[in-house]
Amino acid sequence: MEFKDIATVSGKPGLYKILKPSRSGVILESLDDKKGKLVVGAAQRVSLLSEISIYTLTEEGASLLKEVMIKIEKEFQGDTGLEGADKEEYQAFMKHILPEFDEDRVYASDVKKLISWYHIIRKECPEVLEEKPEAAPENSEEQKDKDTDKGEE
């Protein structure tokens, strides 16, 4: 599973695995112990985790959720220590993980949701949090070099 296969539904708690499109919307399966399925229509807002980012003060203006979650996994390996934390603790946690995050636009409730999602993903599909080397572009460059070398012989 990848980040593009995981979604959140506005107004519903938790995360959902995208199963397949249907006539009236998309079929989702909850990423919890119940594994409940639901059909989400066009009237409900569904967001893919791969399209969600966190506001930053950098030139880009945002950092991908995937990158932030991989940083959390690398640093904390599941033990964030934020159960029952207050607003300041969530802000301090975010400052530690993503020092350039925009404190005016990223609220404690957003960080709380991020941590909740992180724990769900870590439990249900931990492979998503593994950092994958992006070898495809390098391989294509190497292949071009090999093709060029063949032509010169």
Side-chain angles (χ1 to χ4, degrees):
M1 192 179 315
E2 297 179 31
F3 265 79
K4 64 181 177 61
D5 302 325
I6 304 171
T8 180
V9 180
S10 181
K12 296 206 178 282
L15 294 173
Y16 299 85
K17 176 183 175 183
I18 298 171
L19 296 179
K20 61 183 177 180
S22 71
R23 272 190 230 168
S24 59
V26 65
I27 301 172
L28 304 174
E29 179 182 69
S30 66
L31 284 179
D32 60 14
D33 296 332
K34 296 175 189 166
K35 299 288 181 206
K37 292 186 172 110
L38 77 137
V39 177
V40 180
Q44 288 178 293
R45 186 162 171 222
V46 177
S47 300
L48 301 177
L49 290 196
S50 61
E51 296 175 355
I52 297 175
S53 54
I54 296 174
Y55 292 116
T56 63
L57 300 172
T58 60
E59 254 183 59
E60 295 85 33
S63 185
L64 289 175
L65 181 67
K66 179 180 181 175
E67 294 169 2
V68 174
M69 285 205 180
I70 288 172
K71 270 187 191 177
I72 294 171
E73 176 62 15
K74 230 190 258 185
E75 183 109 5
F76 295 95
Q77 290 155 2
D79 185 22
T80 57
L82 289 174
E83 290 73 30
D86 63 8
K87 179 182 175 182
E88 287 76 27
E89 288 175 304
Y90 284 122
Q91 295 287 3
F93 174 83
M94 203 61 205
K95 194 75 152 166
H96 177 77
I97 291 299
L98 192 65
E100 64 276 4
F101 87 103
D102 189 342
E103 292 181 51
D104 295 331
R105 298 197 299 179
V106 178
Y107 303 107
S109 60
D110 298 327
V111 181
K112 188 175 181 179
K113 192 181 292 185
L114 166 73
I115 300 304
S116 167
W117 290 352
Y118 165 73
H119 286 295
I120 291 169
I121 289 173
R122 191 163 204 280
K123 181 181 176 195
E124 299 297 328
C125 46
E127 71 277 2
V128 171
L129 297 171
E130 293 171 9
E131 197 166 14
K132 295 177 182 88
E134 293 183 26
E138 292 173 18
N139 288 344
S140 62
E141 278 298 317
E142 290 173 15
Q143 189 62 40
K144 285 179 188 174
D145 291 342
K146 287 179 185 175
D147 291 343
T148 308
D149 292 341
K150 287 178 187 174
E152 292 173 5
E153 290 178 6

